[in-house]
Structure formats: structure tokens, C-alpha cells
Amino acid sequence: MNHPATWLAGYIPDLPTPFDNAGELDLAAFRRLCERQIAAGATALVVGELTGEDSTLSDAEHSALTRIAVRTSRGRAAVIAGAGSNSTSAAIELSQRAEADGADAVLSVVPYYNKPTQAGLYAHFCAIAEATRLPIVLHDVPSRTVRELSDDTVAQLSQSAQFVGLRDATGDISRPQRLRSLIRPEFRLLSGDDATAPAFLVHGGDGCISVTSNLIPDLCQYLYRCCKEDDLQTARALAIRIGRLTATLLREPPSVSIKYALSLFGLMAPHVRLPLLELTDTAKVAIAEAIRTTDESPAPHALKCIATSDAQPANAVR
């Protein structure tokens, strides 16, 4: 791929992993998800990460998803493989496998559960960088890892050209302004929190690695363009519409809610793996209603992603 600044921007989907009725990978559905995002203008795809239920995937399944995404994209979008672990040796192995499978970059999360120091985090990511030639996107999500990646550590790591960006899921919309003077100009700052992503973009962020854009990619890309073109009136209106849908999706585990939402349009089955469970009937009704409300709001051209899905929508959203 060309310089990361050309593809590490805009709304980038954190793709769910489709399973069939037997609980195996549904690779045909995964190809459809990849194609749909590329058609909507996504410059990159995240595979086998948080929304993709990475902790339940075998090594072979991780590799299969990466290879399918690479073959499907054919250079039209970068493939960013989830390759994080709270074991440095395991994260290295995942990163090396992603490189062998043809990924363009890896997304590496802060080690979870074992609560390393900032010096330990720095050493962890440097060890990964020494073991692979791939660009590395850092992932800071303290609500899940119980340890944050400090501004100083991000600044230190960003001085190496191999570290190309940060997925910031802290919800701190002031962070782009704080970090911008500390990092290389080419280092990309991406929101990892759909709820605060519009404000993050307005405050200088470069994009969002998103759950919601799996469902409404065209509308999310439109919001990004409005933010970058300083069309703030339109951006606010879009942010309200997207925010209502996001709030409903995030009441449940994101992997579960986005799979059910996509299943309403015949794009994949809603199946998840334990310890996750499928939605209750009440949650299903709430998601269907949130989709209907978004579909019926103004500027329907921005929702062509819903109207032109490969399969007919289910009655639940009509």
C-alpha cells in the first residue's frame, strides 16, 4: 500500500466474523461484507479484531479471514489484521502470521488483564515491531484492558515510522489536540468510539475504526467528509442521526448487535460464539426500530447502502 496517510482515514469498519448454522466461518458472507465496504469507499478493513470476536477464533480462522480480505480487496483497500494479545510472544506470532497472510498492517491492542507499566507497554510494542515489517496501529481501549496507553508512550512510539496510527477508544475528544504536537505529522489518530467519533473528527482526528459503519457505511463516510470540509451544520445533523442508531447498537455487546442488524438485510446470520449470546427479543425490536428511524429520516440518498444490499431486507425493518 501507499503511505498510511492515504488509507488510514475516514470510517474504517471493524468487521464482524460471520458464522454459519454449524458455528463455522461463513466465508461467502465475509466476502460480501468486504465488498460492500469497499464499494462505499472504505480505504481499509479491520479483520479478526474486537467486533470480529477475535478471542474465539482459532489460528487457522484468523489466517482464513485475513487471506479472504486480501483476495477480496485486491489492493482497493488496506487489510488491517487484529494481532493483539496480553502475551508479547503471542502478539508477535499473530503479527508474523498476519504478514505471511498478506495483511497490510496489524492492529495491536494494549495488553489486557496483566496491567503492565508504561515502560512495559513500550517494550511490548517495540518487541512486536522488531519481529515484523508490517505497519502497526496501536489500540488503546482502557475500558477493556484496565490499562491506558499514555500520551507520552504514544508520542514515544510514534517517532518510529513503523507505528502509523492510534485507535483511541477512550472517548476523550480532546486527545487529538493534545497529541498532535507530540507525534509525527504522518501518524494517524483514529477514534475507536462511535459515540464520540464526530467530535473526535472535528477536534482534529483523522477517522474512526467503527462498529456502526458496518451497517451504514455510506452515511458514515458522508459524515467524515462533512467534518473534514468544515460543513459543520450538516455534520451535526448527521451525527444526531448516526448517534441514535449507535446508542441502540451499543446497549448490547457490539459483536452481537451489529450481527443482528446486518442479518435483517440478509448480509449474514446473527450467530455468535460463547460466551456471547444472541439478542433478546426486546433488543431485536429496539435495533429494528432504530434502523427504521434512520432509514426514514431526511437525505435518503446517504442511506443507499441499506437500499442496495445484496439481499432483500427482512420485514422487521419495513
Side-chain angles (χ1 to χ4, degrees):
M1 300 295 294
N2 295 325
H3 194 281
T6 65
W7 50 264
L8 204 54
Y11 269 79
I12 297 170
D14 185 352
L15 292 170
T17 300
F19 301 126
D20 61 22
N21 291 337
E24 302 299 323
L25 295 185
D26 184 346
L27 296 180
F30 188 66
R31 289 187 191 94
R32 287 196 297 271
L33 296 181
C34 293
E35 284 287 4
R36 183 169 179 265
Q37 290 294 329
I38 293 168
T43 55
L45 310 171
V46 171
V47 303
E49 229 265 340
L50 187 60
T51 308
E53 298 174 74
D54 59 317
S55 61
T56 73
L57 300 175
S58 68
D59 292 345
E61 288 172 329
H62 268 283
S63 287
L65 291 171
T66 302
R67 291 196 301 267
I68 289 294
V70 169
R71 292 171 189 166
T72 303
S73 69
R74 301 190 307 278
R76 295 174 294 164
V79 175
I80 306 171
S85 174
N86 63 341
S87 162
T88 302
S89 61
I92 287 172
E93 184 178 347
L94 285 167
S95 300
Q96 291 174 332
R97 188 181 305 118
E99 184 173 1
D101 292 330
D104 298 293
V106 292
L107 183 59
S108 195
V109 72
V110 168
Y112 38 86
Y113 190 74
N114 43 17
K115 300 175 70 173
T117 63
Q118 292 299 312
L121 294 177
Y122 180 79
H124 169 83
F125 289 118
C126 286
I128 296 169
E130 290 174 2
T132 178
R133 294 170 296 178
L134 289 180
I136 299 169
V137 181
L138 303 166
H139 186 185
D140 188 15
V141 55
S143 64
R144 292 178 180 267
T145 62
V146 200
R147 179 66 80 215
E148 78 288 349
L149 194 61
S150 73
D151 289 357
D152 288 342
T153 304
V154 172
Q156 274 187 290
L157 291 168
S158 76
Q159 300 313 305
S160 165
Q162 193 167 359
F163 293 97
V164 295
L166 170 70
R167 179 185 188 180
D168 183 338
T170 64
D172 182 353
I173 62 173
S174 68
R175 205 170 189 196
Q177 293 176 327
R178 293 204 314 272
L179 282 174
R180 193 58 72 186
S181 64
L182 304 176
I183 57 177
R184 299 186 345 269
E186 302 84 6
F187 190 84
R188 303 292 90 184
L189 298 175
L190 306 164
S191 172
D193 177 41
D194 276 290
T196 57
F200 189 94
L201 292 171
V202 170
H203 283 80
D206 298 296
C208 175
I209 295 179
S210 167
V211 175
T212 306
S213 68
N214 281 293
L215 186 62
I216 49 170
D218 295 89
L219 193 59
C220 288
Q221 298 298 351
Y222 184 25
L223 169 61
Y224 170 74
R225 291 195 299 273
C226 289
C227 288
K228 291 303 160 183
E229 294 169 3
D230 290 325
D231 182 359
L232 298 186
Q233 182 175 356
T234 304
R236 288 190 195 99
L238 289 169
I240 291 170
R241 291 170 60 193
I242 293 172
R244 293 188 188 118
L245 178 59
T246 294
T248 304
L249 292 172
L250 296 186
R251 288 175 194 162
E252 308 293 334
S255 301
V256 183
S257 58
I258 197 63
K259 281 187 168 185
Y260 177 72
L262 289 167
S263 78
L264 293 177
F265 300 100
L267 292 167
M268 64 180 298
H271 308 315
V272 293
R273 287 178 174 171
L274 288 171
L276 296 178
L277 294 174
E278 293 186 25
L279 296 178
T280 64
D281 288 344
T282 300
K284 290 177 180 179
V285 170
I287 288 175
E289 180 59 27
I291 294 170
R292 182 188 294 111
T293 301
T294 304
D295 196 10
E296 291 174 353
S297 55
H301 65 280
L303 283 160
K304 64 182 180 180
C305 54
I306 287 180
T308 60
S309 65
D310 291 340
Q312 290 298 316
N315 291 334
V317 293
R318 290 299 182 195

